[in-house]
Amino acid sequence: MLKVRVFKAIEYPEECLQYIAGHRKVLEAYGVTKVTSANVDWMYEPYTYIITVSNDDYTKTYGGCRIQLAGGSVPLPIESAINSMDPRIYDIVKELAAAGGTGEFCGLWNSREVAGWGIGSIVLFRVVNAVLNQLPVSTFLGFCAQTTFRNSIRTGYQIMTNIGNQGTFYYPKEDLIATALILNDPLELKSAHPEDRERMMSLRNNPVQTIVEKGPKGEMQVDYDLRIMSAATSDLPLSR
């Protein structure tokens, strides 16, 4: 069984370090050694939340992603990544934050150890969107690689054509393309594919549930608890 949890980064340092180590290992496997979402300043920022896929006793992390809210001391990764190519990103984020709050889905990675067991990037996209009703946002951003673009669109994100080259940038290397995305309806999720919207709303309405996820290699039982954990209130056996 695998466990999917959401927690405030600043309160769970050990889990953050596991997440960071796994993310770096995956980036290095693809020859990427410099990417803004790999910066670790967010560990000390109360505007940061982490989603992890772990084993039963939380000693190993197999994947995860990060939710970074605008307004803290740490800029959104998309701001740091593309400001030199298109400085309009600063005003766009500022306007979205003022209009009801925004943030960014970033730092997505999955271990090859669980590849093919039905818990790939689509699961993490669904989980992020499912928990957004617990956060002060009216829009949400993403800056995705070509490998995750399809899942971004399936879960409701749209290309930000008002920036870059119709939303695209060469990043983090000249031979790689990343796309700036926005989720305009994080509460309703009406822009998502119907099947994905149904799964996301199920996770949102029933944040504690166990699902058998299916992949090309077989089935994996996944225990979800998508209530955002705080060390002050949680009795789960994560580090304190």
Side-chain angles (χ1 to χ4, degrees), residues 189-209:
L189 301 174
K190 290 182 178 179
S191 51
H193 185 281
E195 179 184 341
D196 289 282
R197 183 178 187 274
E198 182 179 358
R199 294 289 299 275
M200 291 185 290
M201 296 307 286
S202 172
L203 289 169
R204 178 176 290 180
N205 295 329
N206 300 284
V208 181
Q209 59 176 292

Side-chain angles (χ1 to χ4, degrees), residues 25 56 78 91 159:
K25 185 176 180 180
D56 202 41
I78 192 172
D91 287 336
I159 299 173

Side-chain angles (χ1 to χ4, degrees), residues 153-172:
I153 300 302
R154 281 188 62 91
T155 51
Y157 290 80
Q158 299 171 328
I159 299 173
M160 295 174 66
T161 56
N162 60 333
I163 196 166
N165 181 14
Q166 292 293 299
T168 64
F169 297 83
Y170 288 109
Y171 181 85

Side-chain angles (χ1 to χ4, degrees), residues 82 85-86 143 163-165 167-171 176-180:
I82 70 174
M85 295 177 277
D86 195 333
F143 191 47
I163 196 166
N165 181 14
T168 64
F169 297 83
Y170 288 109
Y171 181 85
L176 296 176
I177 294 176
T179 305

Side-chain angles (χ1 to χ4, degrees), residues 19 49-52 63-67 105-109 124 128:
Y19 163 85
Y49 299 83
I50 297 293
I51 295 168
T52 57
C65 59
R66 181 169 119 234
I67 292 173
F105 172 20
C106 51
L108 169 70
W109 66 274
L124 292 171
V128 168

Side-chain angles (χ1 to χ4, degrees), residues 59-145:
T59 58
K60 190 169 181 60
T61 301
Y62 294 107
C65 59
R66 181 169 119 234
I67 292 173
Q68 189 69 53
L69 299 184
S73 60
V74 176
L76 297 185
I78 192 172
E79 294 180 276
S80 301
I82 70 174
N83 72 82
S84 62
M85 295 177 277
D86 195 333
R88 289 178 296 176
I89 186 62
Y90 288 129
D91 287 336
I92 290 172
V93 170
K94 185 177 180 180
E95 290 170 8
L96 292 173
T102 196
E104 183 180 351
F105 172 20
C106 51
L108 169 70
W109 66 274
N110 281 295
S111 169
R112 292 179 179 178
E113 295 174 78
V114 293
W117 293 99
I119 54 166
S121 67
I122 188 64
V123 168
L124 292 171
F125 272 92
R126 289 171 181 160
V127 169
V128 168
N129 286 4
V131 304
L132 291 181
N133 67 316
Q134 300 178 59
L135 298 170
V137 297
S138 60
T139 57
F140 207 63
L141 304 177
F143 191 47
C144 77

